[in-house]
Amino acid sequence: MWEYTDKVRDHFINPRNVGEIENPDAEAMTGSIVCGDALKLTLKIDKDTDKILDAKFKTFGCASAIASSSILTEMIKGKTLDEAAKITNKDIAMELGGLPEEKMHCSVMGMETLEKAINNYRGIDTKEDEHDEGAIICKCFGITDTKIKRAIRENKLKTVEEITFYTKAGGGCGACKVKLEDILNEELADMEREAKNAPLTTVQKVKKIEEALERVINPMLKMDGGSCRLVDVDGNKVMIEFKGACSSCASSKNTLKGFVEPKLQELVSKDLEVVGV
């Protein structure tokens, strides 16, 4: 028995915006009745402001599918297309107060249908059949490798079971689970390589510098009665202020360039330049 939030139950029993807009400005459908879940979304859009004036849905599926579709229409009404396009499946689930992990594919269906409707309105070429977008891995539900890889990356999936929860792949006969394992391992390896090569954001850089100062550098400086603090970060330039005995030490420049800078380059980024202020 699934554990549903009160909001999920409410949107299932009393779904909002059920139906179909006559002569819609945008529409899209994802899923398949044959495979168990399908959603049709129609939108009325103000062409001058790109604002979504109305949204209606028709869903074939379980309580989670109906609730996810219902809450999605409420979330997007009044938003511009750009604002609506930023809504993720996690946002949909969160708005419902959470979904059983096994039902997260219902929120994914909502996100994908909205994306397709917006792309159709903007004239962006989207293939009629999502099977054409990649090789079919799960024959029971017609799930492609493209969809599986996207779910892994966007939701940081770590197991084959989680792939099934978010995409339904592997939830039928199970014959595709070996292929799912292979795809998962390849994507995780690629993501790890990308993370190592990706430049740090300023926030990440500041956090790592402060951790290095507190954990490694200041304990050493305090042995001589001194310390240092981070003043600012500008790109790869790190501004440090010495405190205590280090602030008046004649060899503070040597300490800066001979100890602090090499340590930060080792612990944070080899591209850092440390200057005193």
Side-chain angles (χ1 to χ4, degrees):
M1 188 74 177
W2 310 121
E3 290 292 331
Y4 291 121
T5 67
D6 290 340
K7 204 164 184 180
V8 171
R9 285 193 287 268
D10 179 32
H11 277 269
F12 168 57
I13 297 170
N14 306 295
R16 284 64 151 173
N17 309 305
V18 176
E20 190 170 340
I21 294 174
E22 189 175 349
N23 299 318
D25 297 305
E27 63 180 302
M29 182 171 178
T30 58
S32 167
I33 293 177
V34 176
C35 297
D37 292 302
L39 166 61
K40 183 174 184 180
L41 183 67
T42 52
L43 307 176
K44 190 71 177 174
I45 300 168
D46 185 319
K47 294 179 175 60
D48 294 326
T49 63
D50 265 359
K51 191 167 284 188
I52 299 172
L53 303 177
D54 196 10
K56 291 188 181 297
F57 79 94
K58 288 183 176 180
T59 293
F60 177 86
C62 63
S64 295
I66 293 169
S68 295
S69 304
S70 174
I71 197 72
L72 174 63
T73 57
E74 291 287 276
M75 292 170 70
I76 63 177
K77 284 199 294 185
K79 282 185 167 59
T80 65
L81 294 179
D82 286 341
E83 291 169 339
K86 294 177 182 177
I87 293 174
T88 67
N89 65 286
K90 288 184 178 180
D91 294 329
I92 296 170
M94 190 179 301
E95 193 70 20
L96 286 167
L99 282 172
E101 194 171 20
E102 295 86 346
K103 293 294 183 178
M104 283 300 291
H105 62 269
C106 297
S107 64
V108 173
M109 182 172 68
M111 177 190 71
E112 291 178 342
T113 310
L114 175 60
E115 286 179 350
K116 188 178 288 188
I118 292 173
N119 286 338
N120 287 341
Y121 176 76
R122 288 174 166 169
I124 298 172
D125 184 27
T126 56
K127 291 178 177 142
E128 292 278 335
D129 187 348
E130 68 176 16
H131 299 169
D132 293 336
E133 298 176 359
I136 295 177
I137 301 300
C138 177
K139 293 181 179 179
C140 294
F141 297 107
I143 309 300
T144 65
D145 57 350
T146 302
K147 184 170 183 175
I148 293 164
K149 290 175 183 179
R150 181 182 180 186
I152 292 170
R153 286 178 173 269
E154 291 188 349
N155 298 285
K156 297 180 172 59
L157 308 184
K158 302 294 184 184
T159 67
V160 170
E161 184 179 44
E162 287 176 335
I163 292 175
T164 302
F165 293 162
Y166 280 75
T167 68
K168 296 186 73 174
C173 71
C176 62
K177 288 191 174 182
V178 173
K179 290 183 179 178
L180 294 179
E181 186 77 40
D182 290 341
I183 292 173
L184 177 65
N185 290 335
E186 289 174 7
E187 287 301 302
L188 291 178
D190 287 345
M191 290 162 66
E192 185 177 354
R193 282 194 295 270
E194 291 164 8
K196 288 180 179 179
N197 294 329
L200 295 172
T201 66
T202 300
V203 173
Q204 290 171 328
K205 200 176 294 182
V206 168
K207 184 177 180 181
K208 289 178 74 71
I209 290 170
E210 289 179 334
E211 287 176 351
L213 292 178
E214 180 181 358
R215 183 170 56 85
V216 178
I217 295 172
N218 275 330
M220 294 294 293
L221 296 180
K222 285 177 181 178
M223 294 174 66
D224 293 322
S227 65
C228 68
R229 73 178 184 90
L230 177 65
V231 175
D232 197 7
V233 175
D234 182 8
N236 285 321
K237 183 175 285 187
V238 180
M239 281 143 270
I240 294 290
E241 180 186 21
F242 281 119
K243 308 289 284 185
C246 290
S247 62
S248 57
C249 179
S251 61
S252 60
K253 187 173 181 180
N254 292 334
T255 302
L256 187 74
K257 290 296 182 179
F259 173 60
V260 177
E261 184 174 88
K263 273 297 175 188
L264 289 179
Q265 289 174 341
E266 174 191 342
L267 298 171
V268 181
S269 169
K270 61 181 178 60
D271 298 319
L272 293 184
E273 176 194 2
V274 179
V275 298
V277 295

